[in-house]
Amino acid sequence: KDDNPFYMIKLIQEEDTKLKHWLEYSLNSLTRDKRERSNLNFGRYFEGFKANWKKALEQRNVTIVLNGNKDDENTIRAFEVDMDSIFNNLLSNSLNALKGSKKEKKLIEISWKRLGDKIEILFSDNGKGLDQQYKNSPEDIFKLLESSKKDKKGEVIGTGLGLYIVQSIIDGYNNSSVSIMNIEDGLTLKIEFRVRKDN
C-alpha cells in the first residue's frame, strides 16, 4: 500500500487540504479589522465561523447546526478576535469530545437569541460530555491549567488554557457570563453578552 503512487498522492492531497485550511484560518485571524472594536452581528459572525471550519469539519464527519437570525438586535460592540478566541477554543474542545464517537451524527449546535438587554448563546455538542473528574465540580474546567486531555500513558497533554481563556475574555465584557448547562449527553455552555444601550 505504501508503495502505491496513487495512495501517496491521495495522502499528499489530504495534507495539502489541511495545510491550506490552517493557513487561511491563521491569516484570517490576523486581519486588522478583527482587532478593532466594532458592531458584531452574531448571525453573520457564526455564518462566517461555520464557513471557515467547513473543510476541517467535513474531514472529521462533524456537522455544525446554526439556530438564530441575522437581525440587528443580535449585535454587540466587540473585538472580533475575542469572539474567535472564544468559539475556536470551544469548537476545538468539542472536536476532541467527538473524536472516536460511535454516534451516527456528530453534531455541534450554536443557538443565539436576544433576551432583554442580553444576547444568550448556547454552544453544545453530542460528544462524550465532561470527564469523570469534573462530575462533582464542573466549574473547575474554567480553572487555569486544568485539563483532562491525556496521552496513551495517562499523562496530561492539554495546556489547560482553552476554557480559562474563554472565561477571561467573557469576563472582560460588562455583565457577561459563561455557565455550564448540561454535562451528560454531550456538553452545553451558555454564554450571555450584555447589549449596550446605545447599540
Side-chain angles (χ1 to χ4, degrees):
K1 177 170 152 181
D2 290 333
D3 293 330
N4 182 337
F6 296 105
Y7 176 69
M8 298 301 288
I9 289 169
K10 184 172 179 284
L11 288 182
I12 291 167
Q13 283 178 324
E14 287 173 1
E15 289 306 311
D16 185 57
T17 302
K18 286 179 192 173
L19 182 60
K20 184 174 181 287
H21 168 75
W22 283 109
L23 282 171
E24 285 172 352
Y25 163 71
S26 300
L27 292 171
N28 189 37
S29 298
L30 295 171
T31 57
R32 180 177 296 278
D33 60 330
K34 289 196 170 202
R35 291 178 278 128
E36 295 173 358
R37 193 184 291 270
S38 61
N39 288 335
L40 185 138
N41 179 297
F42 278 111
R44 286 191 282 274
Y45 173 77
F46 286 128
E47 214 170 60
F49 177 79
K50 180 179 179 178
N52 286 339
W53 280 97
K54 184 179 179 203
K55 290 173 188 168
L57 294 169
E58 283 174 355
Q59 288 171 348
R60 291 165 176 81
N61 198 28
V62 175
T63 302
I64 284 190
V65 177
L66 301 180
N67 291 314
N69 58 53
K70 292 187 275 190
D71 292 353
D72 285 340
E73 66 175 12
N74 291 309
T75 300
I76 63 168
R77 290 286 292 171
F79 295 99
E80 190 169 342
V81 70
D82 284 348
M83 299 304 115
D84 287 347
S85 294
I86 291 168
F87 295 105
N88 287 333
N89 270 306
L90 293 181
L91 186 112
S92 175
N93 283 354
S94 288
L95 289 178
N96 277 320
L98 289 163
K99 198 183 288 181
S101 171
K102 301 285 190 274
K103 291 186 178 173
E104 190 177 328
K105 288 189 176 180
K106 297 178 186 177
L107 292 175
I108 294 171
E109 188 170 348
I110 307 173
S111 305
W112 65 95
K113 62 183 174 184
R114 175 78 175 263
L115 293 172
D117 65 346
K118 292 192 175 179
I119 295 173
E120 179 187 275
I121 300 164
L122 296 178
F123 191 102
S124 62
D125 64 59
N126 65 345
K128 65 181 181 180
L130 275 190
D131 216 61
Q132 194 60 42
Q133 71 190 72
Y134 300 114
K135 296 292 183 181
N136 294 327
S137 52
E139 298 295 329
D140 284 354
I141 64 173
F142 296 110
K143 286 183 179 176
L144 179 62
L145 306 180
E146 194 67 41
S147 178
S148 62
K149 293 177 192 168
K150 295 177 181 169
D151 62 17
K152 292 176 182 176
K153 296 177 183 174
E155 294 180 21
V156 176
I157 56 171
T159 61
L161 292 174
L163 289 175
Y164 173 77
I165 288 170
V166 167
Q167 184 166 50
S168 298
I169 292 171
I170 292 169
D171 286 348
Y173 285 80
N174 264 352
N175 295 321
S176 298
S177 64
V178 57
S179 55
I180 300 165
M181 301 297 291
N182 173 48
I183 61 172
E184 294 305 327
D185 187 23
L187 179 66
T188 301
L189 296 179
K190 179 171 80 172
I191 300 168
E192 290 184 320
F193 284 109
R194 184 171 173 271
V195 180
R196 272 177 28 167
K197 289 179 183 174
D198 60 344
N199 208 9

